[in-house]
Amino acid sequence: KAARWTVRLAQDYFDTGREEALRWLHLLTSREDLPVDVLQSVIDIIPPLTLGLAREGARIQAAIVAGLRKETETNAAAREKLAANLGRLSTRLSSLDSGTEAVAAAKEAVSIYRELASGGSEQGSANLVSSLSQLYSVLADSGQLDDALAATDEAVRICRNMPGPPTEAMRQDLAMSLNNYGNTLNNVSRPEDGLTDRKSTRLNSSH
């Protein structure tokens, strides 16, 4: 409750130049013995793209990731939660223009989801596709277009190779991944390939 109140104060007073609440929030969340679930309850009320709390949000999210890393040493089931929080950390770092760190976090999330998806579950594949989309975004924002193409190409292949009829969510993921692929191809001066994949998007959407 104290953290929630402090977060709201920090947001309210940021525009006035008063940073007392921001310092209180830092003190409240900097204790090394704080459980991950407590930090999670705080980060859940800090919008990912908030201006005043961007750096504190990234710091708290990084602390959550560090805590979950320790949990995975004795609890393999925590790996999926770690991957999800790495994706959130990537988003927060990207908003701070910390491209290198954002890419590293997104790559680690993809690596974990790729491992989890190896069992062949549909949800595992869906999580991997979402994680690859996040990786695509931070790579493209960092100007690493070839790597961004590779990420979205993998997402496209996963969507197309899913067994059985595609769900509506998977259709949307495929359409978005193909659109990302085509747009990025255009940016690297290969418009003819981009056109081919945009046609493929329409064909796949019609099935």
Side-chain angles (χ1 to χ4, degrees):
K1 290 183 180 179
R4 184 180 294 272
W5 175 79
T6 306
V7 167
R8 289 177 177 170
L9 275 181
Q11 289 174 315
D12 290 342
Y13 286 106
F14 175 77
D15 289 337
T16 69
R18 296 178 61 182
E19 297 186 356
E20 295 97 325
L22 194 59
R23 289 195 291 270
W24 296 337
L25 177 63
H26 184 88
L27 289 172
L28 280 171
T29 57
S30 294
R31 286 171 40 195
E32 293 185 2
D33 61 339
L34 275 181
V36 168
D37 60 344
V38 172
L39 291 172
Q40 192 73 64
S41 68
V42 175
I43 202 67
D44 285 346
I45 57 175
I46 299 179
L49 302 180
T50 183
L51 179 61
L53 301 179
R55 294 195 180 280
E56 277 301 295
R59 183 190 61 78
I60 295 169
Q61 187 66 67
I64 291 170
V65 166
L68 289 171
R69 285 192 204 282
K70 293 180 180 179
E71 284 189 26
T72 60
E73 294 174 2
T74 56
N75 179 13
R79 287 181 61 75
E80 185 171 354
K81 191 174 181 180
L82 171 60
N85 279 276
L86 280 163
R88 295 178 190 127
L89 176 59
S90 177
T91 298
R92 290 183 182 276
L93 289 170
S94 181
S95 73
L96 291 170
D97 293 327
S98 300
T100 301
E101 293 88 347
V103 168
K107 283 184 175 180
E108 186 178 355
V110 165
S111 179
I112 295 172
Y113 277 129
R114 189 180 286 121
E115 177 186 331
L116 294 174
S118 63
S121 76
E122 183 175 320
Q123 186 58 54
S125 295
N127 289 339
L128 177 55
V129 168
S130 296
S131 186
L132 284 164
S133 295
Q134 166 70 16
L135 177 58
Y136 162 83
S137 295
V138 294
L139 285 168
D141 287 345
S142 299
Q144 301 177 53
L145 298 185
D146 287 339
D147 288 341
L149 278 175
T152 198
D153 180 61
E154 183 179 352
V156 167
R157 285 187 283 107
I158 292 169
C159 291
R160 284 175 168 166
N161 293 330
M162 286 288 290
T167 63
E168 181 58 31
M170 193 57 71
R171 288 179 186 273
Q172 292 176 4
D173 285 339
L174 175 59
M176 181 179 67
S177 296
L178 284 167
N179 184 64
N180 289 341
Y181 191 81
N183 288 339
T184 308
L185 281 174
N186 285 338
N187 288 335
V188 294
S189 301
R190 288 150 65 185
E192 65 282 357
D193 289 337
L195 178 60
T196 298
D197 267 87
R198 283 195 296 277
K199 289 179 179 177
S200 181
T201 303
R202 292 195 293 271
L203 288 173
N204 278 278
S205 299
S206 65
H207 291 323

